[in-house]
Amino acid sequence: MYHSSGSIARQAAGSGTGLLDPVGQPSDAILFQRCTWCATAMYHRLLCPVCQCGDLRTERSEGTGTVRHSTVVHRNTPAARNVSLVELAEGCVVRGRVMGPAAAIHSGDRVRLSTVKDPVRGEPVFQLLDEPYRAWS
């Protein structure tokens, strides 16, 4: 039987529902979720990947992390760009871009959030914190 959507109770977005709510939060921060049951940190999820709990709270990241994986992409862009997986200090992994030469970004490089949204792709943009020593490069 079909029921109209007007009879369905709707939850308000906010920190209690786990939905990312940019209202009232600084625009220069990455928001992530943390499971209230097992304390797992995650980025843009509806359920906890560990315990499948839906009770997630929204937290603000400090924006520092380590590059877990980086690759150079030549598709659909006029110039090569990098796509990196950054593990934030809070424990969640974020897909974004690291500023600098695409071939110079390596796993283990320390990064800090530069801007939350890339104007073209809408992904977070990070910058290198320090230049690592590369004896064989």
Side-chain angles (χ1 to χ4, degrees), residues 8-128:
I8 297 174
R10 297 177 193 249
Q11 292 183 347
S15 61
T17 62
L19 298 175
L20 296 178
D21 184 17
V23 177
Q25 294 291 333
S27 62
D28 62 342
I30 291 181
L31 301 179
F32 69 98
Q33 295 101 345
R34 188 173 302 276
C35 179
T36 58
W37 193 74
C38 70
T40 300
M42 67 215 75
Y43 184 68
H44 286 271
R45 295 286 188 111
L46 294 176
L47 297 175
C48 175
V50 175
C51 67
Q52 301 301 315
C53 178
D55 190 16
L56 309 174
R57 71 176 181 268
T58 302
E59 294 183 11
R60 181 179 182 265
S61 172
E62 292 184 20
T64 59
T66 305
V67 175
R68 180 185 275 184
H69 178 76
S70 183
T71 187
V72 178
V73 177
H74 297 278
R75 181 182 53 206
N76 297 332
T77 59
R81 64 181 179 91
N82 69 13
V83 176
S84 301
L85 295 177
V86 176
E87 185 173 358
L88 297 175
E90 292 80 12
C92 59
V93 178
V94 177
R95 178 185 167 187
R97 183 173 62 84
V98 179
M99 291 190 299
I105 311 300
H106 300 283
S107 297
D109 289 346
R110 294 181 25 209
V111 294
R112 170 165 301 199
L113 182 67
S114 176
T115 59
V116 176
K117 293 283 186 185
D118 180 82
V120 176
R121 299 265 178 210
E123 298 175 338
V125 179
F126 296 89
Q127 63 185 0
L128 291 171

